[in-house]
């Protein structure tokens, strides 16, 4: 039998878990990364491969992570160690937890830098509301921001402080409060922007860019990026969902249902972001392809400048995006923090959360510098930030996910799985298990091998 509570605290209700897991999933990945990845990787073909990855690989692994977490009740490394021991297999599986911690640190390092951009934009619009100058040339504004290491470092530091403040307070006091109101507000604002997109008359073209596949654009690299994006967007492969699952009550919570709710919301937000951004890009005569990481920062301000209450829209949009990034970064920091608390018995508040955040902040300076002073440095053809992103998102997350799928599918016994998934009809259970045993691992493996070979 699994234990019923975790030493780190528990979600107060099923809804809180759904909000927190959705808060983790929905973030810069949906609104900043998904549109520009789509833009850079051929539009509709990328989107369709991405959706297939979510359905065949992402959702089954999401359920597996939550299930393992709820059974084990500890931080991923200790949960996996206990499970491997109880199942009589080797300790190599504990490596999943280590991949997770390293990937989390790498991802948070650049995530916080980009979240700093959104804070900076929210601040700009706030100043505009009070009479400051508006953003009239978004391209130049964005380039000026990236060229200024001190400015970037300031916002990166501020964002990391916000993150560590919540994680330090722990599950009930910190994480729950942050997600309750802000996620629904972001959703509504995105809908409003889609409404604006409709009014531009370019929605049809945007939809066809997003959904009409041009298969000639597809190569191994596009598959790798779509798979990486699916893992990144659903917060999978680095034991985040496992950690959140550890705080999930046993009674009255169906893992398949919450898994589907989180996956659907996450996908809906990404698609809505695409439907908000591409009509604007097209209506201002910009090329929807090849937008790069600056896409939302250079396109949306064009629309805000054209609206009568654009400054307010800008403030709300970048403010809420900062919040979405915040609820995700909290979940990036939580697994490593919980592990430090368990392993060394250190205080969550003063030691564990702070030292991990400090490490991520320092590493983030590499990304800051790669945007200006070290912009000439190339590793495998990418700048430093792009390289960290590639290694962590597109390689480590799928690799972690692959191992989680194999571990759940082949090592964990049926009784344990059934105990956690008692409400799942037999046919669906069997399908899910074979997706984990064969389909997901094969897809991830083929994509990794093809892209890296
Ligand atoms: N899912 C988040 C986003 O889409 O922005 C990013 C993320 C959070 C990735 C937590 C991984 C993770 F463990």
């Amino acid at each position: 039998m699994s234990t019923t509570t975790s030493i780190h605290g528990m979600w107060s209700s099923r809804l809180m878990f759904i909000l927190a897991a959705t808060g983790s999933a929905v973030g810069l990945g949906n609104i900043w990364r998904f549109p520009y990845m789509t833009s850079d990787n051929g539009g509709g073909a990328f989107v369709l491969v991405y959706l297939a990855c979510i359905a065949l690989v992402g959702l089954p692994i999401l359920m597996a992570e939550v299930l393992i977490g709820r059974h084990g009740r500890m931080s991923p490394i200790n949960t996996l160690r206990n499970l491997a021991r109880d199942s009589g297999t080797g300790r190599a599986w504990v490596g999943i937890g280590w991949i997770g911690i390293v990937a989390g640190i790498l991802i948070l390092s650049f995530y916080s830098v980009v979240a700093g951009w959104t804070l900076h934009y929210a601040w700009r619009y706030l100043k505009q509301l009070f009479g400051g100058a508006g953003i009239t040339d978004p391209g130049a504004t964005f380039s000026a921001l990236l060229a200024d290491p001190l400015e970037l470092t300031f916002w990166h530091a501020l964002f990391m402080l916000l993150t560590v403040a919540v994680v330090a307070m722990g599950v009930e006091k910190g994480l729950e409060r942050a997600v309750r109101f802000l996620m629904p507000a972001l959703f509504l604002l995105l809908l409003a922007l889609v409404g604006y997109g409709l009014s531009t008359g370019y929605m049809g073209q945007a939809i066809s860019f997003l959904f009409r596949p041009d298969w000639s654009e597809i190569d191994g690299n596009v598959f790798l990026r779509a798979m990486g994006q699916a893992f990144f967007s659903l917060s999978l492969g680095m034991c985040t969902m496992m950690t959140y699952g550890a705080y999930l009550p046993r009674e009255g919570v169906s893992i398949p249902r919450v898994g589907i709710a989180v996956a659907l919301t996450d996908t809906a937000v990404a698609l809505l972001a695409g439907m908000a951004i591409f009509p604007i890009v097209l209506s201002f005569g910009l090329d929807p392809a090849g937008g790069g990481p600056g896409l939302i920062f250079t396109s949306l301000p064009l629309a805000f400048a054209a609206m009568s209450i654009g400054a307010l829209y800008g403030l709300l949009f970048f403010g809420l995006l900062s919040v979405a990034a915040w609820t995700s970064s909290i979940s990036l920091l939580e697994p490593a923090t919980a592990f430090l608390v368990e392993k060394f018995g250190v205080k969550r508040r003063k030691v564990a959360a702070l030292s991990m955040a400090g490490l991520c902040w320092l590493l983030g300076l590499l990304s800051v510098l790669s945007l200006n002073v070290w912009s000439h440095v190339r590793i495998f053809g990418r700048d430093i930030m792009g390289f960290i992103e590639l290694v962590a998102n597109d390689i480590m997350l799928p690799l972690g996910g692959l191992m989680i799928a194999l571990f759940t599918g082949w090592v964990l016994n049926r009784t344990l799985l059934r105990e956690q998934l008692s409400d799942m009809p037999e046919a669906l259970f069997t399908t899910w298990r074979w997706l984990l045993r064969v389909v997901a691992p094969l897809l991830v493996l083929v994509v990794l091998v093809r892209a890296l070979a």
Side-chain angles (χ1 to χ4, degrees), residues 226-267:
M227 181 74 84
Q229 174 63 17
F231 275 94
F232 183 74
S233 192
L234 283 180
S235 305
L236 294 181
M238 56 151 284
C239 307
T240 289
M241 291 299 178
M242 201 184 284
T243 308
Y244 275 15
Y247 314 149
L248 179 64
R250 271 251 35 182
E251 298 313 319
V253 181
S254 151
I255 290 180
R257 279 181 201 211
V258 292
I260 289 173
V262 172
L264 279 182
T265 313
D266 187 67
T267 309

Side-chain angles (χ1 to χ4, degrees), residues 12-24:
S12 55
S13 67
R14 177 178 66 167
L15 180 65
M16 281 326 303
F17 171 78
I18 294 184
L19 282 178
T22 315
S24 166

Side-chain angles (χ1 to χ4, degrees), residues 197-335:
L198 275 172
S199 77
T200 62
Y202 281 87
M203 188 58 92
Q205 274 190 44
I207 299 262
S208 88
F209 177 73
L210 273 171
F211 296 108
R212 189 169 303 153
D214 172 0
W215 296 112
S216 67
E217 296 271 355
I218 283 280
D219 59 13
N221 217 13
V222 171
F223 275 98
L224 180 77
R225 315 290 340 241
M227 181 74 84
Q229 174 63 17
F231 275 94
F232 183 74
S233 192
L234 283 180
S235 305
L236 294 181
M238 56 151 284
C239 307
T240 289
M241 291 299 178
M242 201 184 284
T243 308
Y244 275 15
Y247 314 149
L248 179 64
R250 271 251 35 182
E251 298 313 319
V253 181
S254 151
I255 290 180
R257 279 181 201 211
V258 292
I260 289 173
V262 172
L264 279 182
T265 313
D266 187 67
T267 309
V269 173
L271 296 178
L272 279 179
M275 287 158 63
I277 285 157
F278 286 108
I280 295 174
V281 169
L282 290 160
S283 71
F284 282 91
L286 304 176
D287 185 356
L295 181 65
I296 62 164
F297 298 94
T298 51
S299 62
L300 290 180
L302 291 171
F304 298 145
M307 294 173 181
S308 55
I309 47 165
L312 183 64
Y313 256 98
L315 170 63
L316 282 175
F317 179 81
F318 285 107
L320 288 172
L321 182 54
S322 306
V323 173
W326 193 23
T327 53
S328 300
S329 64
I330 291 164
S331 75
L332 282 161
L333 193 56
E334 177 62 25

